[in-house]
Amino acid sequence: MWFVPEKEIAGLMTPEAAFDAVEAVFAAMASGDAYNFPVVREAIGYEDALYGFKGGFDRKGANLGLKAGGYWPNNQKHGLINHQSTVFLFDPDTGRVAAAVGGNLLTALRTAAASAVSIKHLAPKGAKVLGMIGAGHQSAFQMRAAARTGSFEKVIGWNPHPEMLSRLADTAADLGLPFEAVELPRLGAEADVIISITSAFEPLLMDAHVKGSTHIAAMGTDTKGKQELDPALVGRARLFTDEVAQSVSIGEFQHAAAQKKISDSDVTAIGRVITGDHEGRGDAEVTIFDGTGVGLQDLAVAGAVVELAKQQGKAIEVEI
Ligand code: NAD
C-alpha cells in the first residue's frame, strides 16, 4: 500500500486538481456511478472528541474507502490542530487496502472546491462582488477557490468575531482584490455570490438582507442543529446540494425542511447541473448550494493526490 504523509499534501495538491476531482465525483453521484455510505459520527466520551467515518464507492473513478477522524477540541496542548483525519483507499478489485493519505489539508481543499464548483455552475453571470461570512481556518481556502472561478473584482466580509476579519483582508490582498468589512445587510444587498463558512447554530444571513440576483454557498452547516441561513430565505430560493438526503437531515436545509417550508423534491443534486440534466439557475433570483461534505469528495481528492505522489516520487510504499 502507499502512504502519502500530511506534510507532502501542500506540495502535491492544487486547488485546480481539487476542483476537477470534486466536480467529477458530483457528476458521478448524479449519474448513479458513485454513492456515499451512511455517515458515522460519535461523541466518544473521551477528550470531548467527535469521531467518525465518511465513506463511499465511486465506480467510475475506481475510488473505494473512507475518511476517518473528527474533532479533538483540546489538541492545542499537543501542538496539533483540532480537526484530524486520514483517508484510507481500498482496491475495488480485491478489497486490499491501497493507500493511507493525510486528510487535514485535503478536507479544506475539497470543501473549498465544492463551493467553487457551485459558483461555476450557479452564480449569476458577471458576478463581481464576493461576500464572505466567516473568517475561520476554512474561509481563506474558500475565498481562494472562489476567486479562481470568475471575475470577482471585490470581496466584502462579515464575521461574528470581528477580530478574525484580518484573515479575510490578508487573503484578499494576496489575491490582489480589495476587501471591505461590512455589516450583514450591506453584504446581502451588494454581494453577487455569498459564501457562509461558520460554526453558527442560529441564522446569520436573513431573508431581508439578500437583494437581487445572488448565489449563496452555505458551507458551515454539517451537523444537526447548526444553522447559517434564515429558513425564509431558503424557502424562496432555488436549492442545490451535494447530497439531498444529507442536506435535509444534517445540512443547512434541515431547518426549512423541519418547518415544512421545503421538501426533498425542492432540492437538486448539483451533479445533475454538471451533467446537463438540470438547467441550474434558470430564471431564479436566489440560488443556494448546501455543501454538507460527503465522503466521496474526500476519496476523490485522496485518489488524485496518490497518483500525483506516485508520479513525483513522494508516495511511500509498504507491505501490509
Ligand atoms: P474555525 O473554528 O476556524 O472558525 C469558526 C468560524 O465560525 C469563525 O468564523 C467564527 O467566528 C465562527 N463561529 C464560531 N462560533 C460561532 C457561533 N457560535 N456562532 C456563529 N459563528 C461562530 O472553523 P473552520 O475550520 O473555519 O470551519 C468553519 C465551519 O465549517 C465549521 O462549522 C466546520 O464544521 C464547517 N466545515 C464544513 C465542511 C463541509 O464540508 N461542509 C467541511 C469542513 C468544515
Side-chain angles (χ1 to χ4, degrees):
M1 70 179 289
W2 298 95
F3 277 92
V4 184
E6 183 68 47
K7 67 178 166 57
E8 299 291 356
I9 305 291
L12 289 166
M13 197 64 183
T14 60
E16 290 79 4
F19 182 100
D20 290 345
V22 168
E23 188 180 48
V25 83
F26 283 165
M29 282 163 62
S31 54
D33 290 314
Y35 74 106
N36 292 288
F37 304 154
V39 175
V40 173
R41 198 162 163 87
E42 294 285 319
I44 58 172
Y46 186 78
E47 284 291 341
D48 300 325
L50 281 176
Y51 176 70
F53 317 112
K54 278 185 171 180
F57 178 40
D58 176 1
R59 187 185 299 268
K60 204 165 181 185
N63 278 321
L64 170 69
L66 58 94
K67 179 169 82 170
Y71 186 71
W72 266 255
N74 309 317
N75 266 1
Q76 212 176 349
K77 67 186 179 198
H78 302 293
L80 296 169
I81 61 168
N82 293 343
H83 288 276
Q84 291 294 330
S85 63
T86 310
V87 182
F88 296 91
L89 298 174
F90 294 79
D91 180 344
D93 293 316
T94 63
R96 274 174 65 86
V97 63
V101 184
N104 295 351
L105 178 58
L106 284 183
T107 298
L109 289 170
R110 66 79 148 145
T111 306
S115 65
V117 167
S118 86
I119 294 168
K120 173 184 164 187
H121 290 280
L122 296 171
K125 283 213 167 30
K128 291 196 171 20
V129 180
L130 173 64
M132 296 291 310
I133 300 175
H137 177 71
Q138 292 279 338
S139 64
F141 291 92
Q142 291 285 331
M143 194 196 299
R144 285 182 194 285
R148 284 187 56 254
T149 61
S151 51
F152 293 114
E153 294 174 357
K154 182 179 180 180
V155 182
I156 55 180
W158 178 87
N159 193 56
H161 307 100
E163 67 279 7
M164 294 170 76
L165 283 167
S166 58
R167 178 180 266 123
L168 297 182
D170 292 348
T171 309
D174 210 33
L175 293 164
L177 292 169
F179 173 78
E180 195 179 350
V182 298
E183 293 303 317
L184 280 171
R186 218 186 117 193
L187 188 144
E190 289 183 16
D192 305 305
V193 169
I194 299 171
I195 299 174
S196 61
I197 182 79
T198 71
S199 306
F201 281 81
E202 278 167 18
L204 305 171
L205 188 67
M206 305 308 289
D207 189 19
H209 294 156
V210 177
K211 309 254 194 277
S213 197
T214 309
H215 173 63
I216 301 166
M219 305 303 296
T221 300
D222 54 2
T223 306
K224 219 169 181 53
K226 280 187 177 175
Q227 185 172 17
E228 297 184 300
L229 306 182
D230 181 355
L233 175 61
V234 174
R236 79 166 162 105
R238 189 174 281 192
L239 307 178
F240 300 88
T241 189
D242 39 29
E243 189 175 279
V244 176
Q246 206 160 284
S247 79
V248 295
S249 55
I250 60 167
E252 187 59 43
F253 298 157
Q254 64 181 285
H255 306 285
Q259 293 174 19
K260 309 265 184 252
K261 288 188 182 341
I262 63 165
S263 64
D264 293 15
S265 60
D266 294 318
V267 186
T268 302
I270 192 159
R272 290 188 53 205
V273 183
I274 297 167
T275 59
D277 181 46
H278 187 282
E279 65 167 352
R281 163 161 221 97
D283 60 1
E285 184 172 59
V286 177
T287 50
I288 303 176
F289 171 71
D290 180 6
T292 65
V294 293
L296 283 168
Q297 276 170 267
D298 298 300
L299 305 189
V301 289
V305 95
V306 169
E307 288 314 308
L308 289 166
K310 284 202 251 180
Q311 284 162 19
Q312 297 178 29
K314 303 255 174 75
I316 303 161
E317 191 170 19
V318 293
E319 276 298 320
I320 192 150

